[in-house]
Amino acid sequence: MGQTRGDIMNTTRGPAVRLAELPAFDCWHLIESVEISRVAWNGPQGVSVVPVNHVVSDGALWFRTTPYSALALECRGQWVAAEVDSVDPATHTGWSVVVRGVAELVDAEDVPEQLADFRVWPAGTRNVFVRVEPVEVTGRKLVAPHVG
Amino acid sequence: MGQTRGDIMNTTRGPAVRLAELPAFDCWHLIESVEISRVAWNGPQGVSVVPVNHVVSDGALWFRTTPYSALALECRGQWVAAEVDSVDPATHTGWSVVVRGVAELVDAEDVPEQLADFRVWPAGTRNVFVRVEPVEVTGRKLVAPHVG
């Protein structure tokens, strides 16, 4: 049968899921369960967003990068939003957490000892650490309707 | 053996991968291969980033949302950056594409016919479409050193 114009109001297909808020405590556990943040900030050319490896240490979210990256050159002292998620395209379930705060650049020699263990995926020297002290942490999950 | 302070300059562990640029043509194919964008924009409370389902149609990137979402309330006429990626934590390989452009809100009844087929994961009416006309499309891939 042909699709009618009225079908456009049917917004879902496949597993029906609903959005629910996540408590902040759960958010930190989830952030630590994966290795990638998508970090957004407002730079000279408008808003930018890049994926980076992260680690949680000392109550903050940390990245490490080269001194020549857009992240290092533009985010110092800026408000940033880091989004962390894990989703399953098959079931349409998953979660997303956003950490917001001001980014601070820290030289490799000045980071806390436990950060010495922080490795990133791409090869190359990444001797600038970015520390985001969280001001706001929010999370949502996509859940199947009958499992809470 | 104990880890020495000098180890902090060793930035990778596990598979060594390198970053390479992606041609714009490849970027569009990759965007169409997955269902999620992380959309960032600069709102009244600073930069925000949310994951949303996307579709490519008519040369633009489209989302659909509720009229009450932060995305709908804040991104109209704003410069946005949408990041799309797929990464494999086991091999540290993957890709990331960023589409930048100005977001335009379109009512459900005014979208092109082919958008009638665009479904999103969460249940609920999502009758606001967001259209991002691409101004800049950039992509990078993380590749194992010997496979280009």
Side-chain angles (χ1 to χ4, degrees):
Chain A
M1 289 191 301
Q3 187 171 44
T4 68
R5 189 70 180 172
D7 289 341
I8 203 164
M9 301 312 287
N10 299 323
T11 56
T12 61
R13 168 184 297 145
V17 294
R18 64 178 173 81
L19 276 169
E21 300 295 314
L22 283 168
F25 181 79
D26 292 348
C27 290
W28 285 105
H29 278 289
L30 292 168
I31 292 170
E32 293 186 288
S33 73
V34 297
E35 297 180 73
I36 298 272
S37 291
R38 287 86 183 180
V39 190
W41 72 93
N42 199 35
Q45 280 82 45
V47 67
S48 290
V49 54
V50 296
V52 291
N53 292 118
H54 71 233
V55 71
V56 175
S57 183
D58 199 21
L61 190 63
W62 293 80
F63 318 118
R64 66 185 297 180
T65 186
T66 74
Y68 319 107
S69 68
L71 184 64
L73 293 170
E74 298 180 3
C75 82
R76 183 197 298 267
Q78 295 296 307
W79 188 258
V80 302
E83 192 267 349
V84 185
D85 64 44
S86 177
V87 296
D88 177 3
T91 60
H92 294 182
T93 57
W95 53 267
S96 167
V97 171
V98 175
V99 175
R100 303 175 86 202
V102 173
E104 171 193 0
L105 299 197
V106 184
D107 286 337
E109 55 264 36
D110 297 326
V111 300
E113 192 70 30
Q114 62 269 30
L115 266 292
D117 203 35
F118 175 24
R119 302 292 185 268
V120 299
W121 293 359
T125 303
R126 281 172 167 69
N127 57 356
V128 171
F129 285 68
V130 181
R131 180 181 189 274
V132 179
E133 174 80 26
V135 171
E136 182 186 279
V137 180
T138 55
R140 296 185 304 173
K141 57 181 174 179
L142 279 168
V143 287
H146 300 300
V147 297
Chain B
M1 289 192 299
Q3 187 170 45
T4 68
R5 189 69 179 172
D7 288 343
I8 203 165
M9 301 311 287
N10 299 324
T11 55
T12 61
R13 169 182 298 144
V17 294
R18 64 178 172 81
L19 276 169
E21 300 296 314
L22 283 168
F25 181 79
D26 292 348
C27 290
W28 286 105
H29 278 289
L30 292 169
I31 292 169
E32 292 186 288
S33 73
V34 297
E35 296 180 74
I36 297 273
S37 291
R38 288 84 184 182
V39 189
W41 72 93
N42 199 37
Q45 281 81 46
V47 66
S48 291
V49 54
V50 296
V52 291
N53 292 119
H54 71 233
V55 72
V56 176
S57 184
D58 200 20
L61 190 63
W62 294 78
F63 319 118
R64 64 185 300 180
T65 185
T66 74
Y68 319 107
S69 67
L71 185 63
L73 293 169
E74 297 180 4
C75 82
R76 183 197 299 266
Q78 296 295 307
W79 189 258
V80 303
E83 193 266 350
V84 186
D85 64 44
S86 176
V87 295
D88 177 2
T91 59
H92 293 183
T93 57
W95 54 268
S96 167
V97 171
V98 176
V99 175
R100 305 176 85 200
V102 173
E104 171 194 2
L105 299 197
V106 184
D107 286 338
E109 56 264 37
D110 297 326
V111 300
E113 193 69 32
Q114 63 267 31
L115 266 293
D117 203 35
F118 175 24
R119 301 293 184 268
V120 299
W121 294 359
T125 302
R126 282 173 166 69
N127 57 356
V128 172
F129 285 69
V130 180
R131 180 181 189 275
V132 179
E133 174 79 25
V135 171
E136 182 187 279
V137 180
T138 55
R140 295 185 304 171
K141 57 180 174 178
L142 279 168
V143 287
H146 299 299
V147 295

